[in-house]
Amino acid sequence: TSRSTSAERFVGVVSYPWHSSLFGRLLHVLFHAMDGDIPSIKSLVVLDADGKRIVSRHYKTGFSNTAEENAFEKKLFEKTSRNNAKNEAEIIMFDNLVTVYRNTSDVWFYVVGCQSENELILVNALSALYDALTLALRVAPDKRNLMDNFDTLLLTIDELIDGGMILETDPSTIVNRVGMKGSDGGVAGGETAFAEQSFKSLFASAQEQIARFR
């Protein structure tokens, strides 16, 4: 009998009585993780035209404090701010990391990955962020409307990336989920919160199972 794959064994360990888009996302991520090919990033950074942070997320980058993060972001901005990347993403190597970036009139978006990460995956993640924000805000994102809709910015990032792992890159799907999370109370809102909590609990349990199988 051939040896079962980690994904096949995982299905026998983790089961759930309901099927939803959240659970589907979990299985998609975990099956890739077991094969060691899950797409991930090191950092997601959004800066204004002066190089000041609007929001940033750093995942397993080795930065020990906020000062080191700010120093990295400052150098990144100085390296890229003179280039025009309004029409399409630009790609550079910076501090032995692959960085893709794009800017609007006064906002700079960066997605940073390790050297071994596929550049197209990073570009896809960056485009998903930019396009989802454009759809949600109904205008190309600039500093003012990002600050006025800061919760939308944070929720969009959360739907795109979790712990550095790329969860979703379809802009319309991201915007729909952001809209569900941002809706006022009600039963639907309660169900969404429950599903999200279940997703996170199941994900933590699944990570433990993966570690055991490896």
Side-chain angles (χ1 to χ4, degrees):
T1 303
S2 61
R3 185 179 180 182
S4 62
T5 66
S6 55
E8 289 170 343
R9 285 181 284 147
F10 176 73
V11 171
V13 173
V14 178
S15 59
Y16 213 64
W18 49 265
H19 299 277
S20 71
S21 58
L22 287 172
F23 188 57
R25 289 165 65 198
L26 174 64
L27 289 180
H28 173 76
V29 168
L30 292 176
F31 286 172
H32 280 288
M34 286 181 225
D35 294 330
D37 64 348
I38 180 147
S40 61
I41 69 171
K42 289 288 189 181
S43 300
L44 187 153
V45 179
V46 182
L47 305 177
D48 66 15
D50 296 318
K52 296 180 179 179
R53 176 189 292 187
I54 295 176
V55 66
S56 66
R57 300 285 173 81
H58 296 282
Y59 314 97
K60 299 179 181 179
T61 54
F63 299 136
S64 58
N65 52 53
T66 303
E68 292 184 2
E69 295 176 359
N70 288 336
F72 172 81
E73 294 166 14
K74 180 180 178 181
K75 290 192 298 181
L76 185 60
F77 183 75
E78 290 174 349
K79 177 76 173 180
T80 59
S81 60
R82 294 181 179 83
N83 299 329
N84 185 351
K86 290 183 178 180
N87 297 322
E88 59 182 5
E90 296 287 338
I91 304 172
I92 61 168
M93 283 294 298
F94 178 73
D95 277 5
N96 295 317
L97 297 168
V98 179
T99 298
V100 298
Y101 65 97
R102 182 174 180 176
N103 68 289
T104 61
S105 58
D106 59 357
V107 178
W108 294 76
F109 300 91
Y110 301 88
V111 171
V112 182
C114 63
Q115 283 183 319
S116 61
E117 191 57 80
N118 189 313
E119 294 174 357
L120 294 179
I121 289 176
L122 300 180
V123 170
N124 199 26
L126 177 66
S127 297
L129 173 65
Y130 182 90
D131 292 344
L133 288 171
T134 301
L135 281 173
L137 301 175
R138 299 182 181 181
V139 66
D142 59 28
K143 182 177 180 179
R144 180 175 179 177
N145 57 43
L146 287 181
M147 297 305 296
D148 287 345
N149 299 275
F150 196 67
D151 56 339
T152 297
L153 172 60
L154 296 181
L155 288 172
T156 299
I157 294 173
D158 288 343
E159 288 298 326
L160 174 66
I161 305 291
D162 184 10
M165 295 180 295
I166 301 172
L167 294 182
E168 180 62 68
T169 56
D170 179 68
S172 296
T173 301
I174 292 172
V175 171
N176 288 338
R177 289 177 180 151
V178 168
M180 290 174 63
K181 285 185 175 182
S183 61
D184 293 333
V187 176
E191 291 177 347
T192 300
F194 171 78
E196 286 290 342
Q197 185 60 43
S198 299
F199 176 84
K200 292 177 181 178
S201 298
L202 192 59
F203 187 81
S205 174
Q207 285 181 311
E208 295 178 5
Q209 297 292 343
I210 292 172
R212 289 172 54 191
F213 283 137
R214 283 180 169 173

